[in-house]
Amino acid sequence: MNLITQNLTIGYAPPRKSAITVASGLNLSLHAGELTCLIGRNGVGKSTLMRTLAGVQKPLMGSVLLGDTSIHQLSIGDLAKHVAIVLTDPIAPSQMTGYDLVALGRHPYTDWAGRLSDYDIEIVEWAIRAVDATHLAKLPISEMSDGSRQRLLIARALAQETDLILLDEPTAFLDVTSRAEMINLLRHLAKTAYRAILLSTHDLDLALRLGDMLWVMDD
C-alpha cells in the first residue's frame, strides 16, 4: 500500500497560541519497493514531517492517505499494522535481549498478555535474520553498541509487517562504514521485503547513490 499526502501543511498548534507552520503545500508519495531519502539541515522540520506521516502528530492542513484512507481515521492498533517508525531517541540500556526488543514489533497482533503465536515467532526470527542480527538475539541491550541497537530497531519495524517504515536519522550514531552498511541494508529490504521505506539522513553522498527518490527540505 502506498502513502500519499494532499496539500499537506505540517507544524505545531500550541494551546491558546497561533499555529507555527514548518512546511506547506506538500504533495508527496511513498511507494512499495522504494527507498526514499529525506535530507535537510538540522531544525528544518524533517522530524516533524516524519511524525506527521506516521500519524504521531496531526497536520495543520491537508491529509495523509494510506491507499484511499486517511491515517487519522485509523485506530492506533490498525495504524500500527500499516506504519512503523524508528525515532532517534536512544534506547535505555536494560537486560532486555535483542530478541525481546524485536518481538515488541508483534504487539499490534498479540493478545492482552503479549503471547507470541508460532507465526509471531516465525516473523520475529525472520526479521532478525533479515538485518543479519542473529548473533545479537540473546545479548542484553546493555551490552550492545549503538549500531547494533539500531539494527535491532529496524528488525522490530520489520516484525510489525507494515507497508511503510519511517526512520528518523537511523545512522546518526554510526561511523562512515556502518552508515553505508545500514543504508545498503535498508535499500535491500525495500526491494526484497517490498516495503516503502523513508529515512532522513545528513549523508548526501549515500542518499544520492542508494536512494530511489530524494526529498530535500529547506526554508
Side-chain angles (χ1 to χ4, degrees):
M1 188 180 299
N2 299 330
L3 177 145
I4 64 171
T5 71
Q6 296 178 335
N7 199 29
L8 182 68
T9 297
I10 61 172
Y12 303 90
R16 296 181 295 278
K17 293 184 179 179
S18 299
I20 300 170
T21 297
V22 172
S24 60
L26 303 177
N27 295 291
L28 308 168
S29 59
L30 293 171
H31 301 281
E34 291 186 357
L35 172 66
T36 299
C37 295
L38 170 63
I39 64 169
R41 65 173 178 78
N42 287 335
V44 79
K46 299 188 302 296
S47 295
T48 303
L49 176 58
M50 283 274 188
R51 291 174 183 272
T52 306
L53 295 180
V56 176
Q57 189 169 322
K58 289 186 177 181
L60 297 182
M61 289 182 60
S63 55
V64 180
L65 303 176
L66 274 171
D68 297 324
T69 305
S70 168
I71 61 172
H72 296 291
Q73 293 176 351
L74 298 173
S75 67
I76 292 175
D78 285 340
L79 184 60
K81 294 178 181 178
H82 290 287
V83 182
I85 185 167
V86 179
L87 300 173
T88 54
D89 305 330
I91 307 173
S94 74
Q95 292 308 302
M96 177 185 291
T97 65
Y99 183 95
D100 296 335
L101 178 60
V102 177
L104 291 176
R106 299 305 298 168
H107 176 71
Y109 307 95
T110 57
D111 60 21
W112 64 271
R115 286 185 288 261
L116 298 178
S117 67
D118 290 343
Y119 179 74
D120 292 323
I121 292 171
E122 180 182 340
I123 292 299
V124 170
E125 292 176 348
W126 165 78
I128 291 172
R129 290 195 304 271
V131 302
D132 194 23
T134 304
H135 61 294
L136 300 172
K138 295 182 179 179
L139 285 179
I141 298 297
S142 59
E143 296 179 12
M144 295 182 193
S145 66
D146 289 330
S148 293
R149 294 173 193 169
Q150 283 297 106
R151 190 173 288 266
L152 289 168
L153 286 173
I154 293 170
R156 184 185 69 183
L158 279 177
Q160 268 183 252
E161 287 192 292
T162 58
D163 305 295
L164 299 145
I165 300 177
L166 312 178
L167 304 108
D168 192 6
E169 297 192 34
T171 61
F173 305 110
L174 307 182
D175 58 36
V176 174
T177 301
S178 297
R179 286 202 301 271
E181 290 176 352
M182 183 68 72
I183 296 179
N184 260 313
L185 169 65
L186 291 169
R187 178 180 173 82
H188 175 73
L189 291 172
K191 306 301 182 186
T192 58
Y194 203 60
R195 310 291 168 86
I197 298 180
L198 172 67
L199 73 99
S200 63
T201 178
H202 288 290
D203 200 320
L204 177 59
D205 179 59
L206 286 173
L208 287 171
R209 285 196 291 117
L210 298 174
D212 295 298
M213 182 67 68
L214 191 66
W215 291 359
V216 183
M217 289 191 75
D218 61 17
D219 295 327

